[in-house]
Amino acid sequence: MKSRTLRRVCVSAVTVAALSSVAACGGSGGTSGSGKNGDRSPAAAAVALSPVAALKKVQTKSGSVHSAKVESTMVMGTTMSMTMSGAMDWSDGMTGDVSITYTGGTMGEAMAKMGGDGTMRALYLKDAYYMNMGDAFASALGGKHWLRYAYADLAALTGASGDAAQNQIKNSTPQEGVKALLASGDVKKVGEENIRSVATTHYSGVVDVAALTARSGGLDAAQLQELKEQLDAAGVKTERVDVWVDEDDLLVKKTERGESAAGAIDSTVFYSDYGTPVSVRAPAPGDTADFKEIAGQAAKTAS
């Protein structure tokens, strides 16, 4: 594979994965593994609570459980469509082990040109995440199967959006999804619905994307201004967030929908088996290449 092509695929992978794949983490199955509270229905549990008060309970409960299985789908205009499944733990930073399959879009096409089937494995640790794109990609990296993306390098390479992505990766948890909805200032209770045979209460709101990132991303004034300009240039203004909560005050499903200059953004996430054990270790150094070094070498070759 030519260095220029390798660099393009690497940059595409880091952008898509950092900005979307973790934020779109979904759950395997639809029931939570936290147990039941008698015959209490979601409606009965929330009858005396406003939507904001109910979601604050969900935020607290989800934050205390620390892990879950996830399953998700996402479409980002013509850039990519993908599915993902695995398990995530947020007890001490974000760790996880997931399988990602690009099913279409330019990212899927790039993967197909590399000779792969569009599927990769991703490992998330405190300081970096790793991607294994298969044997075809490894042949372009001297036989190394894993690419390491350090969060600090990501922020330096991609500016304010990289800083936001770094924090989204570290903080993309069920309670953060609820936090996004609370931050909208427009949350409403829609009603009661069954999701994958689980009784849930449905809440919905519209989020200002730039304002939300400012609140949850920890950006300084200069980074925030740069990010707002990037979001405006991409045509992203707002997104609709919907969540479905079970009788144990745990998130079962989340959807996010919005528009960008590249087209519609649509993600669906399912969470299940809260409290599931998650154990993640970095791949062997001898089987790992660093994204920053690969991108730098490719840039020199292309110039």
Side-chain angles (χ1 to χ4, degrees), residues 1 5 8-10 12-13 16 76-82 101-120 133 136-137:
M1 180 186 298
T5 301
R8 184 172 63 250
V9 173
C10 288
S12 296
V16 172
M76 294 181 65
T78 59
T79 301
M80 66 92 187
S81 59
M82 59 170 276
T101 300
Y102 292 97
T103 56
T106 54
M107 189 63 189
E109 292 171 0
M111 296 285 287
K113 289 179 180 178
M114 291 162 47
D117 62 359
T119 298
M120 63 179 67
M133 300 185 184
F137 191 76

Side-chain angles (χ1 to χ4, degrees), residues 182-263:
L182 287 169
S184 73
D186 185 38
V187 59
K188 297 179 177 64
K189 177 181 173 181
V190 178
E192 283 76 44
E193 302 172 23
N194 282 339
I195 302 297
R196 295 186 170 183
S197 301
V198 178
T200 69
T201 302
H202 178 188
Y203 300 93
S204 180
V206 177
V207 180
D208 182 307
V209 176
L212 174 61
T213 306
R215 292 169 184 169
S216 64
L219 306 181
D220 61 30
Q223 292 170 328
L224 176 58
Q225 182 58 35
E226 181 182 354
L227 178 59
K228 286 183 177 179
E229 291 173 357
Q230 291 173 354
L231 289 171
D232 287 341
V236 177
K237 301 297 182 183
T238 62
E239 67 174 2
R240 178 184 175 122
V241 178
D242 290 77
V243 300
W244 289 259
V245 179
D246 72 7
E247 64 182 35
D248 295 311
D249 297 319
L250 290 170
L251 209 61
V252 173
K253 177 182 177 181
K254 179 183 71 172
T255 64
E256 296 178 78
R257 293 181 174 86
E259 293 290 336
S260 73

